[in-house]
Amino acid sequence: MQSNETPTCNVSKNSAMAKVLQQCKLIVWDECTMAHKKSLEALDRTLKDLRSNNNRFGGAMILLAGDFRQTLPVIPRSTPADELNACLKSSNLWKHVKVLHLSKNMRVELQNDQSGNIFSKQLIDIGNGKFPIDMLTGCINFPQSFCQLTRSKDELIQKVFPDVSQNYRNHDWLSERAILAAKNIDVNELNFKIQEQITGELRIYKSVDSATNQDDVVNYPPEFLNSLDLPGLPPHNLQLKVGSVVIMLRNINQPRLCNGTRLAIKKLLNNVIEATILKGKYKGEDVLIPRIPMIPTDVPFEFKRLQFPVRLAFAMTINKSQGQSLSVCGINLENPCFSHGQLYVACSRVGKPSDLFIYAPGNQTKNIVYHKALQ
Ligand SMILES: Nc1ncnc2c1ncn2[C@@H]1O[C@H](COP(=O)(O)OP(=O)(O)OP(=O)(O)O)[C@@H](O)[C@H]1O
């Protein structure tokens, strides 16, 4: 998608994708609250053009699935107003959306746990910004009935990944647990700590970074580019062990290897990583991951990083976890949530309080909800 005012999708008229888009009757767009309004508007323009039909979306029906209590588009260095302005509800197309409600939390219901009713009500209260706030601190206190509180990060790791040095070989065990945090800095620290507990040789892959524009080469030397750790981009210094969990950062072979797929490392070779898919339809399949060039979009100049498109994923950011179900979930709130819906997304990955472990200094934290997003 281009970054101008009226972008279209990058689909040429003769491509296989164009054929699918011309013939389909229904397009399902999941996790729509995270989408930028311009991406939906780009789809509208593209479908009109490809289908030679001036009706909305070229006459196709679009099913948007999502919950506006969850996170909004990520806009670097933005204000709440920027995020609200970027979300689908601010698009001219929104007035044509017919809203249908789902009322049961199936993730909770499936657990058949006696805490179910209270837990799903507590989750909804967090999502709606109705959870009682301590007037002195502006924070919420976690009641005993809501989660298992831990006293330290080490205890959090121990509760979510008990005996990881033995259990990591069991892919079912590994696939159903993760620790979440709002910021990458906390996620990285947790990942290093957990990977340290796995035996085996640490393999280091350094990326090759270069400015793409010849005029920028002298201003942005490789050492500077190497020092940049950007969200959505693998690190320059990628340190992995066999058995570690990683997450894909790009779609390289859909539908098997998509942005967000979690895998366990099987072999760390010089030019390729072999890994096993942990969840979903292709669970258990071994795949090969090559190094690919990646160009980040949120820096004021263009540069390219040649690296394996993966990050460690024993821990991941709350935004990355949206859409996933977990059997055991840890949340590190040392740095509190900083944007709409993050606490609700994090707490609602599991179906019962005994599977939710939280580390929050003072047992309290901020719950950020933009009420305008819920109207
Ligand atoms: N109608 C249903 N009957 C039985 N199980 C269901 C039903 N709907 C959902 N589930 C189960 O509930 C869990 C959560 O479902 P799903 O991931 O589709 O929810 P979601 O609304 O997309 O959640 P989120 O957006 O918070 O990630 C899954 O394990 C799914 O299989």
Side-chain angles (χ1 to χ4, degrees):
M1 209 174 77
Q2 313 85 357
S3 55
N4 58 31
E5 271 309 298
T6 54
T8 51
C9 304
N10 191 11
V11 181
S12 72
K13 256 195 164 158
N14 296 324
S15 64
M17 177 56 84
K19 296 255 162 343
V20 175
L21 292 175
Q22 277 158 359
Q23 287 168 22
C24 67
K25 293 197 167 61
L26 173 72
I27 296 176
V28 181
W29 188 316
D30 199 10
E31 303 302 347
C32 72
T33 64
M34 297 170 110
H36 197 292
K37 65 179 179 188
K38 282 191 183 171
S39 51
L40 188 70
E41 291 163 9
L43 180 68
D44 177 43
R45 264 177 230 112
T46 306
L47 288 175
K48 280 178 178 154
D49 179 32
L50 288 176
R51 297 161 73 105
S52 307
N53 179 337
N54 239 354
N55 290 323
R56 267 183 301 282
F57 299 101
M61 179 179 280
I62 312 293
L63 175 62
L64 301 168
D67 176 353
F68 273 94
R69 298 180 195 95
Q70 298 192 343
T71 63
L72 301 178
V74 176
I75 318 278
R77 295 168 290 280
S78 65
T79 61
D82 294 327
E83 288 173 55
L84 286 164
N85 186 42
C87 83
L88 294 190
K89 282 193 172 175
S90 299
S91 170
N92 284 332
L93 291 166
W94 187 257
K95 58 178 175 287
H96 304 293
V97 173
K98 182 170 179 208
V99 180
L100 306 170
H101 294 276
L102 297 172
S103 54
K104 252 190 204 146
N105 184 332
M106 291 307 296
R107 206 173 271 132
V108 172
E109 197 97 343
L110 285 177
Q111 296 293 327
N112 238 336
D113 193 76
Q114 53 175 7
S115 63
N117 283 346
I118 296 175
F119 188 56
S120 51
K121 163 120 188 10
Q122 287 168 323
L123 288 173
I124 284 287
D125 284 348
I126 288 182
N128 287 335
K130 296 271 166 64
F131 208 84
I133 290 176
D134 178 338
M135 282 313 195
L136 276 179
T137 59
C139 291
I140 63 166
N141 291 296
F142 292 110
Q144 293 281 336
S145 61
F146 181 67
C147 61
Q148 315 295 309
L149 289 161
T150 70
R151 278 155 302 192
S152 65
K153 273 182 285 180
D154 287 337
E155 191 188 344
L156 183 70
I157 294 174
Q158 168 54 32
K159 293 284 187 196
V160 180
F161 290 96
D163 290 324
V164 65
S165 58
Q166 298 300 319
N167 286 326
Y168 78 96
R169 293 187 179 86
N170 177 346
H171 286 174
D172 285 335
W173 182 87
L174 213 48
S175 70
E176 63 193 16
R177 61 200 64 237
I179 302 182
L180 312 177
K183 295 199 166 170
N184 273 309
I185 184 170
D186 295 317
V187 167
N188 291 345
E189 189 199 340
L190 288 162
N191 274 323
F192 289 134
K193 278 191 167 188
I194 300 168
Q195 183 168 254
E196 251 174 23
Q197 297 183 33
I198 290 182
T199 49
E201 189 197 340
L202 187 70
R203 185 90 204 240
I204 299 177
Y205 295 104
K206 298 219 168 168
S207 70
V208 180
D209 299 346
S210 53
T212 45
N213 184 340
Q214 274 308 310
D215 298 341
D216 281 340
V217 170
V218 277
N219 297 331
Y220 302 107
E223 298 73 27
F224 167 70
L225 300 176
N226 294 166
S227 71
L228 299 176
D229 189 15
L230 300 166
L233 202 66
H236 163 64
N237 201 344
L238 181 64
Q239 305 192 1
L240 300 172
K241 285 185 180 176
V242 169
S244 287
V245 185
V246 292
I247 191 163
M248 289 296 298
L249 298 172
R250 290 289 183 282
N251 297 327
I252 61 169
N253 178 17
Q254 288 163 288
R256 252 177 204 79
L257 272 186
C258 300
N259 191 346
T261 306
R262 287 174 92 216
L263 311 109
I265 303 280
K266 192 170 177 193
K267 279 186 197 150
L268 292 166
L269 306 170
N270 287 343
N271 292 312
V272 77
I273 293 175
E274 190 175 348
T276 311
I277 296 177
L278 283 178
K279 264 198 153 175
K281 190 171 167 199
Y282 303 99
K283 179 179 167 172
E285 280 193 20
D286 291 340
V287 291
L288 297 175
I289 305 169
R291 283 191 183 86
I292 61 166
M294 281 157 279
I295 298 176
T297 49
D298 50 0
V299 279
F301 57 95
E302 205 172 81
F303 86 96
K304 189 168 68 182
R305 173 164 289 173
L306 184 68
Q307 180 60 288
F308 296 102
V310 296
R311 257 182 194 275
L312 279 174
F314 297 102
M316 59 184 146
T317 59
I318 293 170
N319 288 59
K320 201 84 190 162
S321 77
Q322 187 162 319
Q324 307 212 16
S325 291
L326 295 167
S327 301
V328 184
C329 176
I331 311 176
N332 174 15
L333 294 169
E334 189 178 22
N335 279 309
C337 294
F338 56 85
S339 188
H340 172 83
Q342 287 178 324
L343 189 64
Y344 171 66
V345 167
C347 297
S348 57
R349 294 311 88 204
V350 290
K352 60 180 195 299
S354 54
D355 294 334
L356 182 60
F357 296 90
I358 295 183
Y359 170 62
N363 292 344
Q364 43 172 240
T365 197
K366 280 197 186 125
N367 179 29
I368 298 185
V369 175
Y370 306 157
H371 290 276
K372 274 200 168 160
L374 305 179
Q375 285 162 10

